[in-house]
Amino acid sequence: MRLPIASGAATGAVALTLYPLFAEGSWFWATLGILLCTTLAAALVSRYAQPAFAAPVGMALAAIVFMTVTFARDEAWWGFIPNFDSTARIAQTMAEGWDDIQKFAAPVPSTGGISLLTAGGVAFIAILVDAFAVRVRRAALAGLPLLGLFTVPAAVLNEPIAWPAFIIGALGFVGLLVSDGRERVSHWGRAVLVRRSRTTTTTPDAGKLVLSGKRIGVTAVALAIGIPALIPTLTPNPPFGFGVGNGLGPGGRNVGIPDAIAKLSGQLSHPVNAPVLTYTSKDDVPRYLRIYSLDEFDGEQFKSSSLRGRPEDRVSESVMPPAPGLSVTTPGTPIDQTITISEDIEELRFLPLPYPATQVIADGDWRADRNTLMVFSTEDDAAGLEYQVIGKDVRPTPEMLDNAPQAPIDVQGRFLTLPADIDPAVVALAEDVTRGAATPYQMAVKLQEWFTRTGGFTYDLQTKGSGLDALTDFLLVGKSGYCEQFASAFAVMARVLGIPSRVSIGYTGGTKSEGRWIVRTHDAHAWPELYFEGAGWLTFEPTPSGGFGQATARVPSYTLPQSDSAEPSSGASARPPDDPAASPGASNPARGIGNAERELGPTGLPAVEERSVWVNVGIGVAVALLLSLIPAFMRAVLWLWRRRVLNRAAAVPDDEVPVVKPKKDDDDGWSGGEVIGGEPADRPLSVWAAAEEPVAPEPKENTFAAPAVEAAWAELCDTLVDLGMPKAGSETPRALGRRLAAAYPLDTEAAKALTKIATSEEKLRYARTPGEVTPLVDDLKAVRRGLAASVSRGRRIAAVLAPMSSLLRVRGLGERVLDGFDRLENIRLRPARKENETATADDVLESQVGSRR
């Protein structure tokens, strides 16, 4: 029964890595319950030697009964027997869970449907693991379904999986392999020993084999965690982060974009339209606050490329990098905003900013990416932060944009990339919509006009999917979606027309209340940005605004047709963003980005470039050298401690009574005394009245003698190990001393010191009274010096820098830890048969059958 239990434990250990996906803990109890039921069913099948195919059937039935009791008790017969109604209820709950998964972003709430899907998925993995490890006896193949379970959080989240969860999961799989090895060894049969007086049987000893397997497994797990910690260029902050999501940026720490976007993706569907931030502006004009810039389109979604924050780009130490493509002569108005982030928001490592910002005054280590001007931090969180933003609200004229030169080659190569299999109908549609436009700017204006007015599009929060097929359906068939679909479709069509484009994620300007602009969760938004040389990246707004769209969305004035720009219409889509009166007075619950960011799901990871690669390599080498000197440090500390013990034994105790030689006066009486050792004794002379010979009271026993002998002997043994001449296990102190004196050319002082140490240890071991002679520090120094002189210089250097005695102690500590696991495994509910118990005829027959297997 051990192997089925180990299989269930391994599945449960790996299932713990799912914790980042859930905001509550009810999923854990549902998963734990279904694992206990399936493991019990598998153990019973093995216990009663049922056919192998009975295990998955029994485990599946146990899982179904558990799900029926937990999620459809009212519909089942007697509360636990499945029927048609309970099955329909479970199917309905699963469908609800699937809808919840599509609606919410991780961490998701542990609703009944989500918990049911999670428990059912873990039960399916448990059945596969049991089939591979127990029924087919291929425990290594059981790692495949476990790996599939492990990759679920790694695929959904870009945030690193915590190293304790990884260690627990890895040790669960190692335990499964160890249990499989012990099971195989136990099937080799029993050894039958025939003696004159009795016949005994013994089971095979798998202890050493199991210990070796555990050493390999623990070492592999330790290396998986420890090596990234020693190489700074691999992970940002090991061992506090592990697994998929750390990224392989060119050095430094990382902060994941996808996790923050996934948190934004559920804001629209959140029932509470809570404040996210507030701000004030000197010109009292609302502006879009950008958080993320997504520049890569892979055919499925827009995502962000890697960002880089250099030390010189700290916003607290310098101004922001120049905005790409923006000329200083481009007209615009100054921006001066003070933004306050709510303390109740979830973790946010990026600052919402109007684009382009020239200066950000904020506390903490916030850095700007030179290409996107995104400001982020790997150490600080934006919750509760108040910061000031100074920038420029770019307002180019239509004439300037009409005459804008062609974008540079590097901009075209990066922001015009499209997949080769894009639908030709989309290409034809973009050309048809912009027919008659003479310049890229005019094409962009016509494209926006088509989305917001003439194209027949409607705003809908329902998820429409992602990818090229969803794009074609959105543009040609459905024409209904939310802001992310409008922004992505606009950006793709702009690239088709040869206009560099990207997608931004952030918030609209919000609504004004009591003198401050308030941005709420439902103001989350996605919009496209187009590049025009001289003006840089400009915001366009294809999403319908007003009461039938994104309520607080605003169309920039420079994106309107010439006639509308001169005389703005009263329609919602014609309101310029710099018109405070155009701000709606009430919020619309059906607005925001919905699931836009989840569909975008970018995988770019901004890496903070703290220092050059060579500096990181140097730091890694230095750290490795320091770690390699840990054994030497341990050896030095141990030597200092032993010296202290020897010095304490050599010192005279303070309360020792001095030895006094009495003197005789002319009257045959005793008077005074000559101090032989210590201070004069404070006692009356009558004590010496009857003594004719000097009296020396016994000094107090030196309680430090035995520890000093033990310390000297231990130091001698460690020195021999470090110098490559270790003591044999059967050697007595006297035999060791003789061998060393005969084998190595020791001088007189070293030989006497060696004899003194060996004799003291021998007396301490075997004599009734160890004696008062104890080794001194000088004796140890003489022996060490004499032995070191008899070996090569390389051996002496190795003894100092990499002492083998310290390494053996570390190894012994690891073995004791593993022995502790062995003792836990040997705990049994019933006493085991003694080895010297007389074997019965059934035992002999069983051993013979087992030996033939």
Side-chain angles (χ1 to χ4, degrees), residues 400-421:
M400 176 184 175
L401 296 178
D402 272 331
N403 299 319
Q406 190 176 17
I409 298 299
D410 58 334
V411 174
Q412 296 184 39
R414 181 178 177 185
F415 298 99
L416 290 180
T417 302
L418 287 172
D421 55 345

Side-chain angles (χ1 to χ4, degrees), residues 696-777:
E698 294 184 0
K700 185 177 180 179
E701 181 182 359
N702 189 351
T703 58
F704 301 105
V709 174
E710 294 174 351
W713 179 253
E715 179 63 25
L716 174 62
C717 294
D718 285 350
T719 301
L720 294 176
V721 172
D722 296 338
L723 296 177
M725 49 183 80
K727 179 182 77 68
S730 59
E731 274 187 314
T732 63
R734 180 179 300 182
L736 176 64
R738 290 177 178 176
R739 179 174 66 83
L740 294 178
Y744 302 101
L746 302 178
D747 55 22
T748 304
E749 182 183 4
K752 290 182 178 180
L754 177 62
T755 302
K756 184 177 181 181
I757 295 173
T759 303
S760 300
E761 175 66 16
E762 186 178 39
K763 290 182 178 180
L764 183 64
R765 290 186 183 182
Y766 309 116
R768 177 173 296 180
T769 57
E772 300 178 0
V773 179
T774 59
L776 302 177
V777 174

Side-chain angles (χ1 to χ4, degrees), residues 237-403:
N237 194 21
F240 302 103
F242 178 84
V244 178
N246 283 337
L248 299 176
R253 295 160 295 174
N254 296 338
V255 55
I257 294 177
D259 178 68
I261 292 182
K263 291 178 181 178
L264 284 176
S265 66
Q267 292 186 2
L268 174 63
S269 56
H270 200 282
V272 179
N273 189 21
V276 175
L277 59 90
T278 60
Y279 67 91
T280 58
S281 178
K282 286 189 175 181
D283 58 3
D284 202 28
V285 173
R287 295 181 176 88
Y288 283 11
L289 301 176
R290 191 194 62 165
I291 304 179
Y292 312 108
S293 179
L294 316 179
D295 54 2
E296 294 183 356
F297 182 67
D298 59 2
E300 292 292 326
Q301 57 198 7
F302 275 90
K303 59 185 180 181
S304 177
S305 57
S306 296
L307 306 181
R308 180 171 301 174
R310 303 185 299 181
E312 58 267 27
D313 291 332
R314 287 188 178 95
V315 298
S316 59
E317 299 179 0
S318 63
V319 298
M320 295 278 288
L326 179 60
S327 173
V328 294
T329 60
T330 303
T333 58
I335 297 175
D336 191 345
Q337 289 184 342
T338 301
I339 303 175
T340 303
I341 307 294
S342 172
E343 295 182 352
D344 299 328
I345 67 169
E346 297 182 0
E347 183 183 39
L348 180 61
R349 296 297 180 90
F350 293 79
L351 296 184
L353 300 171
Y355 184 89
T358 58
Q359 187 176 4
V360 178
I361 303 173
D363 295 332
D365 187 6
W366 297 93
R367 307 189 182 188
D369 176 70
R370 286 183 172 268
N371 292 325
T372 63
L373 300 190
M374 292 168 56
V375 175
F376 57 92
S377 175
T378 59
E379 300 177 354
D380 300 297
D381 185 45
L385 179 67
E386 180 177 295
Y387 54 97
Q388 183 181 3
V389 184
I390 299 174
K392 180 180 181 180
D393 187 357
V394 180
R395 298 183 180 180
T397 63
E399 293 78 15
M400 176 184 175
L401 296 178
D402 272 331
N403 299 319

Side-chain angles (χ1 to χ4, degrees), residues 88-102:
R89 177 58 182 168
I90 291 176
Q92 180 183 356
T93 305
M94 286 186 173
E96 294 173 356
W98 182 257
D99 292 339
D100 291 339
I101 291 176
Q102 301 300 314

Side-chain angles (χ1 to χ4, degrees), residues 38-56:
T38 54
T39 303
L40 178 61
L44 291 176
V45 170
S46 298
R47 175 67 178 83
Y48 294 102
Q50 298 301 312
F53 67 85

Side-chain angles (χ1 to χ4, degrees), residues 453-502:
R453 291 187 179 180
T454 63
F457 286 89
T458 58
Y459 189 80
D460 188 359
L461 298 178
Q462 295 299 321
T463 301
K464 303 297 181 180
S466 60
L468 294 178
D469 293 338
L471 173 67
T472 302
D473 181 77
F474 171 72
L475 292 175
L476 299 174
V477 181
K479 293 191 175 183
S480 178
Y482 47 89
C483 55
E484 185 274 330
Q485 291 176 312
F486 282 97
S488 298
F490 188 98
V492 170
M493 296 181 73
R495 292 191 177 191
V496 169
L497 299 172
I499 308 173
S501 63
R502 65 188 186 187

Side-chain angles (χ1 to χ4, degrees), residues 52-133:
F53 67 85
V57 175
M59 295 174 71
L61 291 177
I64 292 174
V65 171
F66 175 83
M67 290 188 292
T68 301
V69 172
T70 306
F71 300 98
R73 181 183 306 173
D74 297 336
E75 290 79 6
W77 292 331
W78 295 292
F80 70 95
I81 299 178
N83 55 23
F84 179 80
D85 294 335
S86 65
T87 303
R89 177 58 182 168
I90 291 176
Q92 180 183 356
T93 305
M94 286 186 173
E96 294 173 356
W98 182 257
D99 292 339
D100 291 339
I101 291 176
Q102 301 300 314
K103 182 186 302 182
F104 297 104
V108 299
S110 296
T111 63
I114 293 178
S115 298
L116 176 59
L117 287 176
T118 305
V122 173
F124 178 71
I125 296 297
I127 293 174
L128 292 180
V129 172
D130 182 84
F132 283 121

